[in-house]
Amino acid sequence: MSAGERAPAAELGLLDATMIGMGAMIGAGIFVLTGLAAEIAGPAAILVFVFNGIVTAFTGLSYAELAASIPKSGGGYAFVRETFDDLPSFLMGWMLWFAYMIAGGLYALGFAPNFLELLHVYGVTAAPGQVGAIAVPLLPVSIPAAVGLALVAVALLVTVNALSTAASGSAETLFTAVKVAILVVFVAFGFLSAGGGGETSFTFQQFDPLFPAGNSAFSILPAMGLTFIAFEGYDLITTVTEEVENPRENIPRAIFYSLGATVIVYALVVVVAIGTLGAQGLAEAGEAGIAQAATSFMPTGLPIIRNGGALIVFGAVFSTLTALNAVVIASSRVAFSMGREGQLLPRIGRIHHRYGTPFFAILLSAVVMLGSVVLPTESAGNVSSLFFLLSFIVVNAAVIKLRRDRPNMRRPYEMPYYPIPAVLGIALNLLLTGVLVVYLVRTDPLALALSVGWILAGVAAYYALRGRGEGAAPASTDSSNAEAGDG
C-alpha cells in the first residue's frame, strides 16, 4: 500500500475538532465527578475544577506546540514517537490506547442507566434499577439491561466511525452542541432562582465557609487527583490531527477553545449545584445531584421536557454519547498510528480502501472497549486517570527534549515563557500522580494491579513484535525534516 493510501482524509474543521475535545471533557464526569469533589473538598469543589483546569493548561500548551510542529495523528504517542526511542514510545501508545478504550467502556456504562432513566421519565420502562435482564438474540443467555445497552451504544458508534470520519465528526459536533445548550439552560435557571427565598433557591451563602471545619486548603489535592479525568479530553483532538483541515493552526486553536470552554462550563455548573443544594447535599445526591438541583429550581410542564430533572437526564444521555464517540475516535487513531509506525501489526495502520477510515484499528479498539465493560467501574476509571497523568508528564518532557534536539524545527506555535509551562506541567502532574497512587494503594489495589499488568503486557508485546520484525520502524515523517522549511 502506498504512502498516499495510508493517510486519512482531512474532513474535519475547527469546530469539529473543538467539539471532539469538549465532547470528551464535558461528558458523564460533569454529573458524576461534581458530587465526588463536593464530598471530599466541600464548597471548595469549585476550586478543584478551576485548579485542575490551570494544571492541565500547562500541558495543553505542550500539546499545542507539538501538534503544530508534528501534524500527525496519534496524539501524545505521535509526539513521543518523534522524540524518544522505540520502547518508551511504544509504552506511551500502549498506555494511551488502553486508557481511551477503558474510558469508552465507562462512558458506555454511564449511558445505559441515563437512557433507561429517560425512558422511565416518559413511562416507557420501569426505573433503571427495576429493569431486568434481556435475552441475547440467537443465544440461550440473558444479560443485564444496562450491559446490553452499553454494548449497543459501543457497537453503534463504532459502526459510524468505521464507515465515515465525516459522519462521526458531525455526530460529535451535534451531540456536544445539544448538551452544552442544556447545561447553559441549567446554569441560567439556577442563577435566576437567586433571591427567591425558598430552600432550594441559589445563594452564595452555601460557599461560606469555603473550607469546612477541619479541612485545609490541601484537602482539595485528593479531589483534584480523582477528578482530573474531567480534563482529559483536549488531548483527543491531537489523535485526529491528519483528519483536520489546516492542522498546524486549527489543532492549537481547538485545544485552547475546548479547554477554556470546559473550565467555564464546569465552574458554572458546580457553582449552581452547590449554591442550590449545598456541598453536603450535592455529595449525598451523587450522580443525581445535578438533576436534583435542576428539579428544585426549574419550572415544570416544559414542552416535551417535563421538568428540570428530565432535561438533565436528557443532557446526560448526550454527554455520555459524545464522550464515548470521542474515545472511539481517539483509541482507534492511537492504534492506527502505532500500526503505521510499525509498532503494532501493519494491518492496523492501514486506511480502508472504500471507507477511508482506519477500519481495522477501529474494530480492534472496539473489541477491547466492549470487553472493558466487565471491569469494576471505579478501578477502570482510576487506571485511566493514572495513565493519562503519566502520559501528560511524558508529553511535557517531549517538548523540552525536542527543543534541545532540534532547535531549528518549524514551530508554527510556540508556548510562551518556555520552558516554564512544560516544567510546571511535569511537576504538577507528578504531584497529582503521587497523590493518586497513594490513594490507590490505600483504597483500590486492583487499579494498581491492572496498571502494572497492562504495562508488563506491553513490554512483552513489544519484544514479541520485534521478534516478528515489527516494532522497530523508524519514525520518519515530513516533520522530522522540517527544520527550517515548510515541511
Side-chain angles (χ1 to χ4, degrees):
M1 183 170 289
S2 67
E5 293 175 314
R6 294 163 69 91
E11 299 181 312
L12 305 177
L14 174 60
L15 178 61
D16 296 319
T18 302
M19 290 301 186
I20 287 174
M22 290 182 63
M25 288 186 283
I26 309 176
I30 202 163
F31 305 99
V32 178
L33 299 179
T34 48
L36 176 62
E39 179 181 359
I40 297 173
I46 177 62
L47 298 180
V48 169
F49 291 102
V50 172
F51 288 167
N52 265 341
I54 294 172
V55 169
T56 200
F58 294 122
T59 304
L61 292 172
S62 294
Y63 267 96
E65 177 170 319
L66 290 170
S69 306
I70 308 170
K72 293 181 59 182
S73 293
Y77 164 75
F79 308 147
V80 174
R81 176 68 173 150
E82 191 83 12
T83 312
F84 292 97
D85 294 332
D86 281 347
L87 182 57
S89 63
F90 178 89
L91 290 178
M92 176 72 169
W94 188 255
M95 286 194 304
L96 279 177
W97 187 29
F98 190 59
Y100 288 138
M101 288 187 292
I102 61 174
L106 290 175
Y107 295 141
L109 288 173
F111 161 79
N114 283 301
F115 185 71
L116 289 173
E117 178 62 28
L118 185 63
L119 295 179
H120 173 61
V121 168
Y122 292 96
V124 178
T125 67
Q130 300 173 357
V131 178
I134 56 176
V136 178
L138 305 179
L139 294 176
V141 296
S142 298
I143 58 175
V147 174
L149 282 172
L151 297 177
V152 169
V154 172
L156 177 62
L157 291 178
V158 164
T159 301
V160 172
N161 276 270
L163 298 181
S164 171
T165 296
S168 62
S170 297
E172 188 73 8
T173 299
L174 176 62
F175 289 167
T176 302
V178 169
K179 75 175 177 185
V180 170
I182 289 172
L183 292 173
V184 168
V185 170
F186 167 80
V187 170
F189 273 106
F191 284 130
L192 288 173
S193 73
E199 292 183 2
T200 57
S201 298
F202 174 85
T203 173
F204 282 108
Q205 292 178 355
Q206 297 283 12
F207 293 90
D208 185 21
L210 187 61
F211 297 98
N215 281 16
S216 68
F218 292 103
S219 65
I220 69 172
L221 288 177
M224 287 178 64
L226 292 172
T227 61
F228 191 77
I229 192 174
F231 294 97
E232 294 158 3
Y234 65 85
D235 52 303
L236 273 67
I237 299 169
T238 62
T239 65
V240 293
T241 295
E242 293 171 58
E243 296 163 82
V244 176
E245 301 167 354
N246 191 15
R248 291 186 186 270
E249 293 185 9
N250 283 336
I251 295 295
R253 290 175 181 172
I255 289 172
F256 298 138
Y257 293 163
S258 63
L259 184 55
T262 297
V263 172
I264 293 172
V265 169
Y266 263 99
L268 291 175
V269 168
V270 172
V271 166
V272 169
I274 293 179
T276 304
L277 300 177
Q280 183 176 350
L282 178 59
E284 292 173 352
E287 292 184 30
I290 305 300
Q292 184 174 321
T295 301
S296 70
F297 57 67
M298 291 185 68
T300 59
L302 298 173
I304 304 178
I305 304 298
R306 296 185 176 183
N307 53 52
L311 179 66
I312 295 303
V313 172
F314 193 69
V317 170
F318 276 91
S319 293
T320 50
L321 282 177
T322 55
L324 175 57
N325 188 57
V327 293
V328 169
I329 294 172
S331 60
S332 60
R333 270 51 175 191
V334 172
F336 164 76
S337 184
M338 293 181 73
R340 186 173 59 177
E341 289 290 320
Q343 292 200 309
L344 289 178
L345 298 176
R347 188 178 185 86
I348 300 172
R350 293 174 184 166
I351 297 296
H352 195 279
H353 68 280
R354 180 178 178 182
Y355 304 125
T357 62
F359 191 85
F360 297 105
I362 292 172
L363 294 185
L364 179 60
S365 300
V367 170
V368 180
M369 194 175 295
L370 289 168
S372 70
V373 300
V374 303
L375 293 175
T377 301
E378 183 178 356
S379 296
N382 287 332
V383 172
S384 183
S385 290
L386 180 60
F387 279 176
F388 280 127
L389 282 167
L390 291 172
S391 71
F392 285 179
I393 293 169
V394 180
V395 166
N396 281 299
V399 170
I400 298 173
K401 189 174 188 301
L402 198 61
R403 285 267 193 139
R404 292 179 177 177
D405 293 348
R406 290 154 64 183
N408 297 322
M409 183 179 188
R410 182 190 176 199
R411 293 178 172 84
Y413 172 82
E414 293 186 359
M415 69 171 64
Y417 306 110
Y418 171 85
I420 295 175
V423 172
L424 286 175
I426 292 172
L428 293 172
N429 283 296
L430 273 173
L431 174 62
L432 290 180
T433 300
V435 170
L436 181 58
V437 168
V438 170
Y439 178 85
L440 296 182
V441 168
R442 295 175 177 175
T443 64
D444 194 359
L446 175 61
L448 282 180
L450 285 171
S451 302
V452 174
W454 183 255
I455 292 173
L456 291 177
V459 173
Y462 172 78
Y463 285 107
L465 288 168
R466 283 182 67 91
R468 289 171 51 98
E470 312 294 343
S476 57
T477 67
D478 291 339
S479 62
S480 63
N481 298 318
E483 299 302 316
D486 292 336

